[in-house]
Amino acid sequence: MSTRPDSFYDVMRRQGISRRSFLKYCSLTASSLALGPQFVGNIVHAMETKPRTPVLWLHGLECTCCSESFIRSAHPLAKDVVLSMLSLDYDDTLMAAAGFQAEEVMEETMRKYKGRYILAVEGNPPLNEDGMYCIVGGKPFVEKLRYAAKDCAAVIAWGSCASWGCVQAAKPNPTQATPVHKVILDKPVIKVPGCPPIAEVMTAVITYMLTFDKLPDLDSQGRPKMFYGQRIHDKCYRRPHFDAGQFVEQWDDEAARKGYCLYKMGCKGPTTYNACSTVKWNDGVSFPIQSGHGCIGCSEEAFWDKGSFYDRVTELNVFGVEANADKMGLVTAGAVGVGIAAHAAVSINKHKNTETHKKDSL
Amino acid sequence: MSSPAMTQEPVYVYEKPVRLWHWVNALALVVLAVTGYLIGNPPVVTGGEASDHYLFGYIRFIHFSAGYVLAIGLIGRAYWALVGNRYSRQLFMPEVYRLTYWKGVWHEILWYLFLVSEPRKHVGHNPLADLAIFLFFVLGSLFMIVTGFALYGQGLGEGSWADRLFGWVIPLLGGSQSAHSWHHLGMWYLVIFMMVHIYIAIREQYVSRQSMVSTMIDGWRTWKDDRP
Ligand code: HEM
Ligand code: HEM
Ligand code: SF4
Ligand code: SF4
């Protein structure tokens, strides 16, 4: 028996995954990360030799839709592999252990892999009332989060809850639910937003981090560029109808049947960064726009507070007035127009009077 | 500058580049407001294949082109403020640090409220006009240029020049959708300026004691009487 720490490959073999399946998984991962075939060898090598990096998966205020998405990853292989890597450690909803035993596992991982484990967070901590709105293991979740983040290498913020706050942080946010990057300030936080994020995106991000031991390239908002580098709209297959000016105007009109662009129905594709229009959902079967419904912008910050999902020009709150820009503008411009007309009328009148005055005094 | 005129002789106020810029800029703003409104509320074409039409594409193309005209024009106008005559600088720096300036603003307010019977003469902009042009036009178009090119950068893609230069405003305004809404609201801010501006320019041509619209055409400020 060697004493070197387990590699990923060792763990997978123990889980009954054949070498053949392992190699397939490596090529799949390379292609989903848009890496060339020459990288397959790198991944194989890394997984065979590198000590396994454990993942602790915490759950705060959330609905578990991220976990639900994750375990439905399109390639069963990827799912099995990644899950076997994860479930060995800590995940409230997926692991076998419970109660004190579970907390013990967490402690042990933190001790043994100090500074090396990845902390994946689903949901967020509410900060109001000292965090009492979310108690896990007898303690406010925010304390557990801070504690677990202390010795981790990096944090993955799963979904819109952890990344932006999502519905529990929507106005007026009574529990003061707060996204992870505003609580954990001293560790890199990778945002993987979406409600939920796409399964393949989740597995690819985590595999990338585990195999290459580094963070994926992030954009200015802390999202992996490879999946959040473009808007839904940039790769939407209905885009030619957008440029043509062919829009759906009613859910049951001819244009809807013909699959025209959903822009006028409030599609948020032009303002939403996500991979739905390329990776798609449910084994690549479809995605919302393909099914005839606009994007609701679920991976964008505060998407619950941005007015109707079905309006093109959405509500704004300006100095306490809640209306869309055209309504505010039209009302103000109308008032100004009336003002101008009245002013003009008085001016003309006055001007005439002074003219006659001048003539009189001549 | 903002103080009442002391001369009764015609003065050459707006040099050729300023006048040319004024009219090009006015046209660009009208085009931007119309195409911008249509971007928010697009017209619909029916029939045919998508490849038969490019209506919305053209509307957006015209909007972006006019956006470049506005932005490059403003840079050119700022340059002219450095090399042009004294009146060319007024646009960018109302003399808000002078008490006489604010007294002048107050006088103009009274004039527009019909509370003084005789307007003052001004070689350049009157103090109130100066303030309004700065607050509405200068700040308003700067806001539109910054937000406009930030949105434009989203189309050009991450790392593009527009994204690197202006991309930072999008998270600041609360994301892409809010940035669109603020950009849209900015249009109305400028529309209101244009309405009042054109009204006042025409009105003053008739009721003031000096030339107005014609000054922006031939550059000369002439006077209707020779009292100070
Ligand atoms: C004062 C001048 C401008 C006005 C009045 C104006 C007006 C508008 C309006 C009303 C919209 C629609 C917003 C919405 O509801 O989504 C819009 C969109 C836009 N404007 Fe402007 N705009 C101006 C200047 C600019 C400039 C300088 C640029 C830079 C190129 C620009 C680029 C854009 C872009 C990229 C969009 C979004 C188009 C899309 O999402 O398809 N705008 N503009
Ligand atoms: C519709 C868009 C318009 C915009 C955005 C606009 C903007 C401006 C700006 C920024 C100035 C200051 C010029 C400077 O100091 O360099 C100005 C001055 C002026 N504009 Fe316009 N303008 C518009 C339309 C018009 C029209 C249609 C008229 C004529 C009816 C007009 C008449 C004038 C006059 C007479 C001045 C000089 C005011 C003075 O001497 O105090 N403008 N305009
Ligand atoms: S359906 Fe939505 S994402 Fe697709 S082209 Fe139209 S506006 Fe863009
Ligand atoms: S299409 Fe838009 S709303 Fe739908 S899942 Fe993708 S990002 Fe979320």
Side-chain angles (χ1 to χ4, degrees), chain A residues 232-233 236 238-239 242 260-263 267-270 289:
Chain A
I232 305 291
H233 184 64
C236 178
R238 297 193 183 200
R239 180 63 186 261
F242 172 87
Y260 286 177
C261 169
L262 296 160
Y263 185 72
C267 177
K268 303 296 183 283
I289 292 164

Side-chain angles (χ1 to χ4, degrees), chain A residues 101-134:
Chain A
Q101 204 188 356
E103 301 305 311
E104 187 51 43
V105 176
M106 184 172 137
E107 289 289 336
E108 195 192 313
T109 307
M110 285 180 62
R111 225 177 307 121
K112 219 163 115 191
Y113 296 92
K114 190 169 174 172
R116 287 192 24 231
Y117 62 91
I118 291 172
L119 182 66
V121 186
E122 188 174 344
N124 58 32
L127 302 185
N128 230 355
E129 307 286 351
D130 299 320
M132 296 309 239
Y133 288 106
C134 184

Side-chain angles (χ1 to χ4, degrees), chain B:
Chain B
M1 270 199 268
S2 303
S3 41
M6 288 305 159
T7 170
Q8 311 322 318
E9 294 298 310
V11 187
Y12 188 55
V13 179
Y14 299 119
E15 297 152 293
K16 206 171 218 145
V18 172
R19 285 177 277 140
L20 186 69
W21 169 79
H22 176 267
W23 296 112
V24 170
N25 177 71
L27 183 68
L29 268 184
V30 171
V31 169
L32 279 163
V34 172
T35 52
Y37 182 81
L38 291 178
I39 289 172
N41 308 275
V44 170
V45 302
T46 44
E49 293 297 324
S51 53
D52 297 337
H53 307 280
Y54 197 65
L55 180 64
F56 204 47
Y58 287 129
I59 291 175
R60 292 172 70 247
F61 176 76
I62 295 169
H63 189 79
F64 307 153
S65 309
Y68 272 108
V69 171
L70 174 77
I72 294 169
L74 201 63
I75 293 172
R77 182 65 184 79
Y79 167 75
W80 195 259
L82 298 175
V83 301
N85 67 16
R86 50 197 302 227
Y87 308 106
S88 67
R89 285 180 268 289
Q90 242 189 316
L91 174 62
F92 297 104
M93 37 184 94
E95 296 172 314
V96 290
Y97 44 84
R98 290 208 180 150
L99 189 62
T100 49
Y101 174 85
W102 290 106
K103 284 189 178 148
V105 169
W106 182 239
H107 180 87
E108 293 304 315
I109 291 174
L110 295 180
W111 160 241
Y112 288 119
L113 289 178
F114 310 104
L115 294 176
V116 289
S117 54
E118 194 167 75
R120 287 181 183 160
K121 291 170 158 183
H122 303 274
V123 182
H125 303 312
N126 79 53
L128 182 63
D130 205 8
L131 191 65
I133 290 174
F134 184 80
L135 289 183
F136 278 85
F137 172 76
V138 177
L139 298 187
S141 15
L142 279 179
F143 178 80
M144 294 309 275
I145 289 169
V146 171
T147 52
F149 277 106
L151 296 176
Y152 189 61
Q154 297 202 301
L156 291 183
E158 163 135 28
S160 60
W161 70 270
D163 177 51
R164 265 179 290 157
L165 225 52
F166 301 110
W168 51 270
V169 286
I170 288 181
L172 207 69
L173 290 174
S176 178
Q177 197 188 334
S178 304
H180 270 89
S181 300
W182 283 104
H183 187 74
H184 200 126
L185 195 63
M187 171 189 77
W188 287 107
Y189 188 70
L190 281 160
V191 164
I192 287 163
F193 167 74
M194 292 191 251
M195 288 167 64
V196 177
H197 174 71
I198 295 171
Y199 165 64
I200 296 279
I202 295 172
R203 175 188 129 105
E204 295 303 286
Q205 175 78 20
Y206 292 106
V207 304
S208 74
R209 297 159 58 206
Q210 62 192 59
S211 63
M212 248 315 144
V213 178
S214 59
T215 311
M216 213 20 116
I217 294 168
D218 62 17
W220 286 88
R221 182 79 79 210
T222 55
W223 314 102
K224 297 181 191 165
D225 60 51
D226 26 83
R227 282 170 290 122

Side-chain angles (χ1 to χ4, degrees), chain A residues 338-360:
Chain A
V338 170
I340 288 176
H343 198 272
V346 178
S347 300
I348 292 168
N349 226 327
K350 271 212 124 149
H351 194 56
K352 267 196 204 129
N353 285 346
T354 38
E355 299 276 282
T356 33
H357 229 84
K358 270 188 211 150
K359 277 191 204 115
D360 290 350

Side-chain angles (χ1 to χ4, degrees), chain A residues 58-280:
Chain A
L58 301 188
H59 296 254
L61 270 193
E62 47 100 342
C63 73
T64 317
C65 79
C66 298
S67 292
E68 289 289 344
S69 174
F70 188 72
I71 60 175
R72 277 164 186 71
S73 190
H75 312 289
L77 203 50
K79 177 190 69 187
D80 285 348
V81 171
V82 179
L83 273 184
S84 64
M85 299 190 303
L86 293 172
S87 58
L88 290 170
D89 300 290
Y90 183 89
D91 182 326
D92 312 18
T93 51
L94 290 178
M95 67 187 173
F100 290 115
Q101 204 188 356
E103 301 305 311
E104 187 51 43
V105 176
M106 184 172 137
E107 289 289 336
E108 195 192 313
T109 307
M110 285 180 62
R111 225 177 307 121
K112 219 163 115 191
Y113 296 92
K114 190 169 174 172
R116 287 192 24 231
Y117 62 91
I118 291 172
L119 182 66
V121 186
E122 188 174 344
N124 58 32
L127 302 185
N128 230 355
E129 307 286 351
D130 299 320
M132 296 309 239
Y133 288 106
C134 184
I135 305 283
V136 181
K139 273 189 258 157
F141 175 65
V142 61
E143 284 175 25
K144 181 167 175 176
L145 174 64
R146 286 207 178 100
Y147 179 68
K150 190 166 49 98
D151 292 325
C152 73
V155 182
I156 303 180
W158 284 143
S160 293
C161 301
S163 301
W164 304 123
C166 209
V167 68
Q168 60 274 45
K171 280 175 201 154
N173 191 1
T175 66
Q176 211 192 320
T178 308
V180 171
H181 68 279
K182 291 194 177 153
V183 176
I184 305 302
L185 304 170
D186 56 347
K187 300 283 175 179
V189 177
I190 298 121
K191 297 193 186 102
V192 187
C195 189
I198 304 170
E200 286 69 36
V201 169
M202 299 176 79
T203 47
V205 167
I206 204 160
T207 309
Y208 183 95
M209 293 174 68
L210 294 174
T211 46
F212 293 113
D213 245 348
K214 62 174 183 193
L215 308 184
D217 242 2
L218 302 180
D219 69 2
S220 60
Q221 300 296 297
R223 301 168 294 200
K225 276 186 189 167
M226 51 187 130
F227 298 112
Y228 296 90
Q230 281 187 311
R231 299 166 298 177
I232 305 291
H233 184 64
D234 293 317
K235 286 279 182 289
C236 178
Y237 77 107
R238 297 193 183 200
R239 180 63 186 261
H241 295 298
F242 172 87
D243 290 326
Q246 295 174 318
F247 300 108
V248 176
E249 291 186 289
Q250 217 93 99
W251 289 116
D252 55 356
D253 66 7
E254 185 59 23
R257 276 189 289 279
K258 284 187 172 156
Y260 286 177
C261 169
L262 296 160
Y263 185 72
K264 293 192 92 166
M265 303 308 287
C267 177
K268 303 296 183 283
T271 54
T272 304
Y273 287 83
N274 206 339
C276 305
S277 49
T278 45
V279 178
K280 302 197 184 171

